[in-house]
Amino acid sequence: MREGHLTFKREYNLDHLLKENDAVLFIDRKGRRYLKVLRRGKKLEIRGDLAPESLYGLEEGSRVKFSNGEKYLVLRPTYADLIPHLPRAAQVIYPKDTGPLLVWGDVYPGATVIEGGVGAGALTIALLRAVGPTGHLISYELREDFAAAARRNVATFFGDAPNWTIKLRDLYEGFDETGVDRLFIDLPEPGRALDVVARALRPGGVFVSYVPTAMQLKDTVETLQRRPDFAEIESFETLMRNWHVKGMSVRPVHRMIAHSAFIIVARRLSDANVEMHADKVAEGAEVEGQEGEGVDHAHILDEVNDDDDSSDGDFSDD
């Protein structure tokens, strides 16, 4: 992670043997989960205690006994395990939304990605995993306390991230970068940022916004629809329902993870398309100003509209 000279040097190694500074889950017989970090010299405490050094070199999936005699299953947390336990001062993006964000956002190894608003770093960790060591993630955050929390969580639960840059900046004032591949925003007013988003994204780039309320959804989508530099706009939410399976009892669990936020996706169009749209608007305005001069207004406007019509999915060669 880069910001001035601040870097973290912990390496993240998915070896099957536990080691110093690993994040691990302790799961008791009732399925309760406790997230801990194996720091040398710092006892692990749940209801009893245990020296972390006794776990170094132990295989994941082992069972260990604390000082009170209680046994726990020990596993490294998956991303879905980690996020609900992530230390935070702000609401995190939960795993049920992270998957669609990465897939609809089309994040790939080697991509250059901007993240607007880091919160506790939950999406940051997912983006770093997705872009890989050859990609680059640039995060913009206005609040120092959120940025500090994200730095700690990335260092603790992801590791060294030399390809991550975090900037303390109001993104509404603009991004330093241009030609980026993907851009994610988790802020209250994404529509206000579309001018700076358009300048930062390359043609064909993907813009993704995450908003909790229906009014934010409406405002953001309608702002995108009015712009000539974005298209292929879609919006959706994800609902997740777990199932209880025990013997002959197979049913949905009584509680489900329903609405958390709306995901909005759009594609950045080429500058040539934007210029063409501006020319058509100007041509239409000129036509309207020629009243009484014998110009066939309807014919000219029909030609403009015909140019905007899509094939509606007709891919035939006829």
Side-chain angles (χ1 to χ4, degrees):
M1 192 279 294
R2 295 182 297 180
E3 185 192 40
H5 300 289
L6 179 61
T7 58
F8 293 107
K9 294 299 184 183
R10 175 179 172 268
E11 300 226 353
Y12 192 76
N13 179 11
L14 290 180
D15 190 286
H16 68 290
L17 301 179
L18 300 178
K19 62 184 185 303
E20 185 177 0
N21 292 328
D22 273 354
V24 296
L25 277 179
F26 291 91
I27 307 171
D28 69 15
R29 61 186 180 84
K30 293 185 177 180
R32 292 173 296 197
R33 295 161 180 250
Y34 306 88
L35 180 65
K36 303 289 182 180
V37 178
L38 304 182
R39 294 193 174 98
R40 187 177 298 276
K42 185 175 181 180
K43 280 191 175 182
L44 303 166
E45 297 181 350
I46 302 179
R47 284 176 284 277
D49 58 61
L50 182 69
E53 293 83 357
S54 66
L55 276 66
Y56 298 168
L58 192 68
E59 288 188 329
E60 273 195 88
S62 299
R63 294 187 184 275
V64 298
K65 184 185 293 187
F66 273 60
S67 60
N68 65 345
E70 190 172 1
K71 291 185 177 180
Y72 294 82
L73 174 64
V74 184
L75 292 167
R76 288 193 184 98
T78 65
Y79 181 85
D81 291 326
L82 172 65
I83 299 309
H85 297 89
L86 200 66
R88 62 186 185 270
Q91 183 66 34
V92 296
I93 296 176
Y94 281 99
K96 79 175 183 72
D97 292 326
T98 306
L101 283 166
L102 295 178
V103 173
W104 266 260
D106 193 41
V107 183
Y108 55 88
T112 298
V113 179
I114 288 178
E115 174 193 25
V118 297
L123 183 61
T124 308
I125 292 171
L127 290 170
L128 285 168
R129 293 170 69 165
V131 301
T134 60
H136 187 199
L137 175 64
I138 308 102
S139 300
Y140 283 74
E141 176 55 56
L142 182 61
R143 292 181 52 170
E144 170 60 37
D145 55 337
F146 286 0
R151 291 188 200 104
R152 286 192 300 270
N153 286 333
V154 169
T156 303
F157 302 111
F158 176 80
D160 188 27
N163 58 335
W164 177 40
T165 303
I166 186 166
K167 300 183 178 183
L168 282 170
R169 180 92 57 82
D170 184 349
L171 66 79
Y172 292 123
E173 296 176 358
F175 300 106
D176 296 330
E177 299 74 23
T178 58
V180 303
D181 301 303
R182 307 292 184 253
L183 200 153
F184 292 76
I185 284 186
D186 178 16
L187 292 175
E189 298 179 276
R192 281 182 54 207
L194 290 182
D195 283 341
V196 297
V197 167
R199 287 195 290 271
L201 265 179
R202 65 166 173 82
V206 181
F207 167 65
V208 184
S209 177
Y210 187 78
V211 294
T213 72
M215 287 308 299
Q216 289 171 306
L217 168 69
K218 179 179 185 295
D219 291 344
T220 305
V221 170
E222 288 181 348
T223 304
L224 283 165
Q225 290 169 339
R226 289 193 296 267
R227 297 183 63 100
D229 45 3
F230 287 97
E232 295 300 303
I233 304 158
E234 59 180 318
S235 54
F236 59 92
E237 64 177 335
T238 62
L239 310 176
M240 191 176 93
R241 184 172 72 175
N242 288 348
W243 277 68
H244 168 86
V245 180
K246 187 175 182 180
M248 296 300 293
S249 175
V250 181
R251 56 169 176 78
V253 297
H254 297 307
R255 298 179 63 186
M256 69 177 291
I257 306 173
H259 175 76
S260 50
F262 298 102
I263 297 171
I264 305 163
V265 184
R267 301 296 297 275
R268 171 71 159 92
L269 300 186
S270 71
D271 292 334
N273 184 85
V274 176
E275 292 169 5
M276 184 184 302
H277 181 274
D279 290 343
K280 289 178 181 178
V281 170
E283 182 180 348
E286 182 179 348
V287 167
E288 290 182 1
Q290 292 176 339
E291 291 182 2
E293 297 184 12
V295 178
D296 185 352
H297 302 163
H299 174 69
I300 294 176
L301 289 174
D302 283 345
E303 287 185 348
V304 173
N305 291 333
D306 286 344
D307 288 342
D308 285 337
D309 287 343
S310 66
S311 64
D312 292 329
D314 183 3
F315 299 107
S316 66
D317 295 329
D318 296 338

